[in-house]
Amino acid sequence: MAGHAHERATHVAFSRGVIVCLFVAAVIRLGWVSAVEVDPRKSFHFDMTWYDLAALTLLDGHVLTDSQGAATAFWPPGYPALLAAAYALFGASIRTAQGLNVALACLTCWLTYALALRVCRGSGHTQVCALVAAAIVAVFPGYVFFAPLTLSENAFIALLCGLLLLFARLQDSARSRPFPHWWGFGALLGVAMLTRGAASFFFAVPIALWWIETRSAKIVFVRSAALAIGVAVVVLPWTARNALTMGSPVLVSTSVGMALTYAHSPVADGSESLAMVGYRRDLLKSLQSLPNPEREIREMQLGARVAIGYALSHPLRELSLIPRRLYFLFHHDHAGLEWAMTRHEPIAGAASQAGGSTDRLLGMIATGFFFWVCGLAMVGGWVCRRDVGVRLLIVAASYFVLMHTVLFVGNPRYHAPLYPILAVLASIGGSAIFRMFAKESINRRVESAARR
């Protein structure tokens, strides 16, 4: 009875701890939203302005269109659809979009806690690690900076964390059921793909993990087929719409042509530099007289064809760009601050910089916190590298690093999906370091007592 009462009291204490984390996450973000004025309707903010206009267009009952009213698929439709739903329920104001971001961040905080409960089993102090992971996500400065922005980061971070949690749960049930319903995981992956194109090849993560775990081609094939069905149910309607309205079955978005052009060209430097913008403009100059959506499709096709051709014909230069892309992916963690403080799209940090000593200090704090978490995460990943749950996080993180060092350019904004992964691994690393020092302290006391 006493043991049961203690267990119940512990559960209540940690439940309260999670609630505190959610409260802190909400308060910090609401405070930042109140302190920073970001309105993509007053001035042009590239992606932010387009996402807002796309949501308003959907609210009016129209499928995504460009400024001339022609059908477009330049951006994935997932975040505009979510934003339109929020506008329909709570009013079409920027505050609604910002409130949605706060809610999504709180959801991610809870999902991180739930994910850590499953992943941290082999690290000891499971609930403590889970609570620490949730606390890290709650106060992550770089993550907080995205709260006022009508960008897809908040939605995609929550989706990725949910994907990892669902995979961990299904993987556990697979031990008792050989072929669980992986189509549900595939459907959620489809939603993630339609939110950020970077998730388009994420199916490689579960396939790799299934093969490592089972070494069975049959199991991998059956689960992959179920996953593919789930993805198809979500993605194919959007692809069919593009085929009917744009004359081409675009899977996710036509911006893949631009992304590939930025990454693979004679003037590529590993980032989204101004030189890239000029190169792409000159490359597509001959298509400017075409009407939309034909021009958009042709630009995608030409950009992708030229970029892939250049990459295949210049393998040594492509290899030399990987370290530069890695640098630009991780060289700071205040991308959200730059977007909030500028009136145009930040390109490789050169086009605009957050001004003022306060902004620079906030940027330094965010970057310092990020690298501190990365350091602990490396320790946690190494210590528990053979654990199945930790392996999931390592493979998922490796996927996004590879996407933006091999296939696309590096930009600090693109490492945002890693926040929950880093938080969980950092909590494991912190626990390992604490136990190591605690063990050394105990050993010293024992040795001291033996001498006496």
Side-chain angles (χ1 to χ4, degrees):
M1 290 293 291
H4 180 70
H6 175 73
E7 183 179 344
R8 185 171 56 185
T10 302
H11 177 74
V12 170
F14 279 103
S15 297
R16 291 175 178 173
V18 176
I19 292 173
V20 170
C21 288
L22 298 178
F23 177 78
V24 170
V27 168
I28 292 176
R29 285 161 177 79
L30 289 172
W32 181 246
V33 166
S34 301
V36 179
E37 182 183 357
V38 182
D39 192 342
R41 298 177 184 179
K42 291 182 179 179
S43 57
F44 187 56
H45 284 71
F46 277 77
D47 294 29
M48 287 195 286
T49 299
W50 188 89
Y51 280 130
D52 178 58
L53 288 174
L56 294 174
T57 300
L58 286 171
L59 198 61
D60 290 337
H62 302 289
V63 183
L64 303 184
T65 57
D66 62 14
S67 57
Q68 283 77 44
T72 181
F74 192 76
W75 277 272
Y79 179 61
L82 178 63
L83 197 56
Y87 285 167
L89 291 173
F90 304 105
S93 72
I94 295 301
R95 288 302 187 195
T96 296
Q98 293 168 338
L100 174 63
N101 288 342
V102 174
L104 287 169
C106 291
L107 174 61
T108 302
C109 192
W110 179 82
L111 289 172
T112 301
Y113 176 79
L115 176 64
L117 284 178
R118 289 188 171 269
V119 170
C120 298
R121 293 171 182 174
S123 64
H125 306 97
T126 301
Q127 289 185 306
V128 174
C129 285
L131 192 58
V132 169
I136 291 173
V137 169
V139 302
F140 219 122
Y143 191 6
V144 172
F145 292 155
F146 283 103
L149 311 179
T150 51
L151 293 173
S152 60
E153 266 69 20
N154 286 284
F156 188 66
I157 293 169
L159 278 170
L160 177 61
C161 197
L163 269 174
L164 296 175
L165 176 59
L166 180 58
F167 182 88
R169 290 174 64 90
L170 289 174
Q171 197 76 340
D172 284 347
S173 67
R175 294 183 177 89
S176 57
R177 292 184 297 157
F179 306 111
H181 300 294
W182 287 102
W183 63 268
F185 178 84
L188 188 59
L189 176 56
V191 174
M193 289 171 59
L194 294 183
T195 303
R196 287 292 290 271
S200 296
F201 300 101
F202 194 77
F203 61 83
V205 172
I207 290 174
L209 291 168
W210 290 333
W211 178 253
I212 292 171
E213 178 198 12
T214 67
R215 301 290 179 177
S216 168
K218 177 183 177 182
I219 291 177
V220 173
F221 175 79
V222 171
R223 293 180 181 179
S224 298
L227 185 153
I229 291 172
V231 170
V233 167
V234 175
V235 175
L236 285 185
W238 169 250
T239 305
R241 172 264 181 188
N242 294 333
L244 292 172
T245 62
M246 302 186 66
S248 178
V250 177
L251 186 65
V252 176
S253 73
T254 58
S255 61
V256 65
M258 179 185 72
L260 290 172
T261 304
Y262 282 176
H264 311 284
S265 75
V267 295
D269 65 356
S271 69
E272 294 174 326
S273 64
L274 291 173
M276 292 291 94
V277 177
Y279 172 81
R280 181 174 179 270
R281 183 182 60 245
D282 294 340
L283 176 68
L284 304 178
K285 186 178 297 184
S286 62
L287 303 178
Q288 297 309 301
S289 60
L290 296 176
N292 274 337
E294 180 185 358
R295 184 179 68 185
E296 185 176 316
I297 297 298
R298 293 281 297 278
E299 286 179 348
M300 176 192 70
Q301 294 170 342
L302 177 60
R305 184 170 64 251
V306 170
I308 294 172
Y310 180 84
L312 294 176
S313 60
H314 297 79
L316 294 180
R317 186 164 190 276
E318 287 295 313
L319 288 174
S320 71
L321 284 173
I322 290 176
R324 292 188 58 81
R325 294 180 190 133
L326 185 65
Y327 166 76
F328 285 114
L329 182 63
F330 289 109
H331 75 292
H332 69 71
D333 192 42
H334 51 80
L337 182 64
E338 289 185 340
W339 277 83
M341 297 300 180
T342 58
R343 294 190 177 185
H344 47 83
E345 181 181 19
I347 300 178
S352 61
Q353 293 291 338
S357 58
T358 301
D359 301 332
R360 286 193 293 271
L361 178 61
L362 289 173
M364 291 174 60
I365 292 172
T367 300
F369 185 92
F370 175 73
F371 284 121
W372 173 70
V373 171
C374 284
L376 289 177
M378 289 180 184
V379 174
W382 176 257
V383 170
C384 296
R385 61 190 180 279
R386 292 184 176 86
D387 184 86
V388 175
V390 171
R391 189 184 297 153
L392 164 65
L393 301 185
I394 292 174
V395 174
S398 300
Y399 165 82
F400 284 100
V401 172
L402 287 173
M403 285 289 287
H404 292 289
T405 56
V406 177
L407 196 58
F408 302 123
V409 297
N411 185 300
R413 176 185 170 190
Y414 302 146
H415 71 233
L418 301 181
Y419 290 149
I421 296 174
L422 292 174
V424 176
L425 292 176
S427 69
I428 296 173
S431 174
I433 293 172
F434 174 80
R435 284 184 292 161
M436 180 182 68
F437 280 106
K439 184 178 180 179
E440 290 182 359
S441 177
I442 292 172
N443 289 338
R444 284 195 298 267
R445 291 179 183 178
V446 170
E447 291 174 1
S448 177
R451 293 192 197 101
R452 294 173 187 171

